[in-house]
Each structure stands twice: as C-alpha cells, then as structure tokens.
Amino acid sequence: MTRDPRWERLRRCLDDELQAILVTSLVNVRYLTGFTGSNGAVLVTADEVVLATDGRYATQAADEAAGAEILVCRAVGSDLVARAGAAGVERLGIERHVVTLAAGDRLTAAGHDAGVVLVDAGTPVEDLRVVKDDAELAALSRACEVTDEVFAAVVGDLRPGVTEREMAWRMRAEMWQRGAEPGFDSIVAFGDNSARPHHQPTDRPVALGDFVMLDFGAAVDGYHADMTRTVVLGPAADWQRDLHQLVTDIQADARRSATPGAVPVELDTAVRDRIESAGYDVAHGLGHGVGLEIHEAPFLVPGSTAGPLDVGAAVTIEPGVYLPGRGGVRIEDTVVIRDGEPTVLTRSPRELLEL
Ligand SMILES: [Mn+2]
C-alpha cells in the first residue's frame, strides 16, 4: 500500500528543495489516508507515509488508514517534524495556508530542534484533489442523487405558513434518512429573502407568490453535492417568470461551456457580462470546485488564477440575479467535466415550478 496512487502523485513534487511534505489540513489528511478523525497530520517522504494522531483515534486510524504507518502521539505536527529530521529530511514542506501563527511557531521550534528548515509547499494536495477518481465520482454522484431525492420529497410539501427554518429542518432529516448528511447549512429563502444570496433560514413563513430558493446538498463519504433551485409558491408573476427564464438560459449556456480547456476566470466573465448586459448587478462568482470540501479548487470567480479545466474536475455552475426588496433567482448544478459537454449530476427540474 505504500504505492498508493495519491501518494505517488504527491511525491512527484518532491525534490532537493522540498524533500518531504507535512500535511496538516484535515481534509488533505483524509484525502491521502482515509483517516476521518479530528486530530491528525501526515508526513510524506520519498519512501514513507506516517499518519500521526492521538490515543482517541489509534484504533480508528489503523482501520481507516491502511498502508500508512501510524504514530500515536500528543503533538502531531511537531512530532512529525522531529520524525522528518530523524529520517534525514533537511527541507520540509508545510501547508502554510492552513497553519495558524501559533501552530507555525511550534512547528518552527520543532524544526529548529530537529535541524529541519520549513518551506512553503504551496497547495499540492488541493491541486491533486481537483481531478476526481472513480471512487470519488461515485460518492459525489450518490450525494447528488440524494440531493435530488430530497428536493422532490420536500418541494411538494410547501404550503403557506411553512417557515424557512422548518423547511431547512425537514431537508436535514430527509438527508439523514437516506444515509447521507447535510454537506453545509441549507439556504432556505422565501420572498424578498431570496434576494440575499447566502440567506440564513429564519422563522419567516412562506406566502402565495413568494419565490422559494433552496440551496443545499447532501454529503456522502465526505463528498459534497451542491444544488440550488428557485420555485414559486402559487402562480408566478410576470417579473418572476422573466427573471427565472433569464437565469435559466444563462445557466444552461454556462453549463455547456464548461468543457475541457475552458478557463475558469473566462467562464465567470462571460456570465458576468450576460447578467450586466441584461441590466442587473452581479453578486457572486459563477461557481467552485466540489469534493471533500463544499468550496474547493478550482474557483470560477473574478481574479481566479485556476488553469484550464481538466476532464474529471467537479464544479458548480450557479449564476444568480438578485433584486433587493423583491427576490432573486439562482440555479445551480454540480457537474463533472468530460470531453464535450459536462455530466450534470444534479438533475432536479430546472424549469420554473409553480407549486
Ligand atoms: Mn455552490
């Protein structure tokens, strides 16, 4: 198991300047070893992979992280720095973007004691995570299936008087009942609240004529679905129908243009231009990668430096238009980049449902 493909791919970034990597992001620890506990770090050298955790997780780590050497200790980062020094590593990469100043001080002190210089490794594990393997795509697909099932289960129960919080609770229960869990706090926004892109559910009851925006996703084996649908309770007004159609058209085109080689920042710009030329403001970026985190690389946002999309990357496409005081529409799908058009994993109806 020491030749796990993920470890081998990570080792390709090792050289004289970066002889080993200390992984302290728990999500990255999970990606590399399968370990899901709340305290752990991984040392990857040219010929060993050591997972450090504390006594609470010794048994779990041995079960989950087959193939890695398990080191049970108190200070997982510092002890792995010492371990690297003992293995002859002189320059050890760290994940500077996830290390707090306090943890950095401790790692630096440990490096000083062990004769190890810490260097910024960048984000090599996040970079590896962009393209999903078959097992990851299976988990992501299942998460999206559950999300579709939950949408179908709850949308029919929407009646005047139901509150945003009740709806959010119902969605949570439906995910648990299907063996999944909520990947993030569901956004449930009724009426004018739907003009707030990241609204948090309140006790506001839904009324006839309200937009209902549901942005949620199940997580399965750690992989996150992300979907948004906007519907209307009762017959839609003309402005609601027009706004919904505009976003539907923009989203459909953006989805089709998410092909191998497409540049994330350019996809975002194209959608931004469409929204602005229709006379509206743009409130947020077009989308983001999804996987072990709900928001991960690549980011389809202004200023994104992400390279062209690769086959196997999983991203969201989620344009939205918001009219403060009235309401907003967002339509979001989780898609997987394929040759030609992407595979759309979230399949709930996108046309305007008038419930
Ligand atoms: Mn999203």
Side-chain angles (χ1 to χ4, degrees):
M1 275 300 280
T2 52
R3 305 208 68 80
D4 184 296
R6 295 179 188 180
W7 301 350
E8 292 306 305
R9 287 164 67 209
L10 182 60
R11 281 172 171 145
R12 284 182 209 146
C13 72
L14 299 182
D15 56 23
D16 285 349
E17 296 300 305
L18 190 77
Q19 298 161 342
I21 296 179
L22 176 65
V23 176
T24 52
S25 151
L26 284 172
V27 173
N28 289 342
V29 166
R30 180 174 188 170
Y31 179 76
L32 290 173
T33 67
F35 176 64
T36 60
S38 68
N39 183 32
V42 175
L43 174 68
V44 178
T45 72
D47 44 32
E48 54 184 11
V49 172
V50 184
L51 167 64
T53 187
D54 66 71
R56 295 172 298 166
Y57 292 117
T59 304
Q60 179 180 331
D63 289 344
E64 291 180 336
E69 179 185 338
I70 311 295
L71 176 67
V72 178
C73 58
R74 295 287 296 276
V76 295
S78 301
D79 287 0
L80 285 180
V81 171
R83 172 68 182 253
V89 171
E90 293 171 352
R91 294 177 61 83
L92 174 64
I94 60 164
E95 298 180 300
R96 199 166 201 273
H97 61 297
V98 298
V99 176
T100 63
L101 286 173
D105 289 346
R106 290 194 295 272
L107 295 179
T108 301
H112 187 79
D113 291 345
V116 175
V117 174
L118 304 184
V119 296
D120 186 359
T123 57
V125 185
E126 283 84 351
D127 296 346
L128 290 182
R129 285 168 39 201
V130 169
V131 170
K132 273 64 180 174
D133 63 28
D134 289 346
E136 294 180 284
L137 290 175
L140 193 60
S141 297
R142 179 63 191 142
C144 289
E145 266 174 33
V146 169
T147 303
D148 282 334
E149 289 172 17
V150 171
F151 180 77
V154 301
V155 80
D157 283 355
L158 212 58
R159 298 279 183 275
V162 172
T163 70
E164 291 170 345
R165 283 164 57 86
E166 285 167 351
M167 193 74 175
W169 186 254
R170 173 84 197 278
M171 288 154 69
R172 170 174 286 262
E174 293 285 346
M175 288 186 253
W176 276 102
Q177 282 160 11
R178 287 168 173 77
E181 54 195 282
F184 57 96
D185 289 338
S186 301
I187 296 171
V188 179
F190 298 157
D192 57 341
N193 285 343
S194 63
R196 299 154 54 112
H198 266 205
H199 177 70
Q200 289 143 307
T202 67
D203 289 321
R204 184 197 197 285
V206 69
L208 279 176
D210 278 348
F211 264 140
V212 172
M213 181 186 288
L214 305 176
D215 180 347
F216 69 106
V220 170
D221 293 339
Y223 285 81
H224 295 74
D226 199 359
M227 179 174 83
T228 307
R229 293 293 184 265
T230 308
V231 303
V232 176
L233 186 64
D238 286 346
W239 73 272
Q240 290 174 317
R241 206 166 280 132
D242 292 346
L243 195 62
H244 195 279
Q245 189 64 51
L246 174 74
V247 176
T248 301
D249 292 344
I250 292 174
Q251 202 260 357
D253 290 344
R255 241 190 298 129
R256 287 188 201 105
S257 58
T259 53
V263 179
V265 73
E266 292 173 5
L267 293 173
D268 176 78
T269 300
V271 164
R272 189 161 294 265
D273 291 347
R274 282 277 293 276
I275 294 173
E276 286 175 347
S277 68
Y280 298 108
D281 292 334
V282 177
H284 54 73
L286 174 61
H288 51 84
V290 281
L292 285 173
E293 290 177 285
I294 181 62
H295 298 127
E296 61 180 43
F299 292 94
L300 288 64
V301 298
S304 177
T305 56
L309 294 175
D310 283 319
V311 170
V315 300
T316 67
I317 300 292
E318 51 175 310
V321 176
Y322 310 90
L323 310 181
R326 298 181 78 190
V329 175
R330 180 167 62 254
I331 299 174
E332 172 181 29
D333 286 305
T334 297
V335 309
V336 179
I337 306 304
R338 293 294 181 206
D339 285 320
E341 289 190 15
T343 302
V344 184
L345 298 183
T346 43
R347 298 182 179 145
S348 297
R350 285 175 207 91
E351 69 269 19
L352 180 57
L353 300 179
E354 299 172 75
L355 302 167

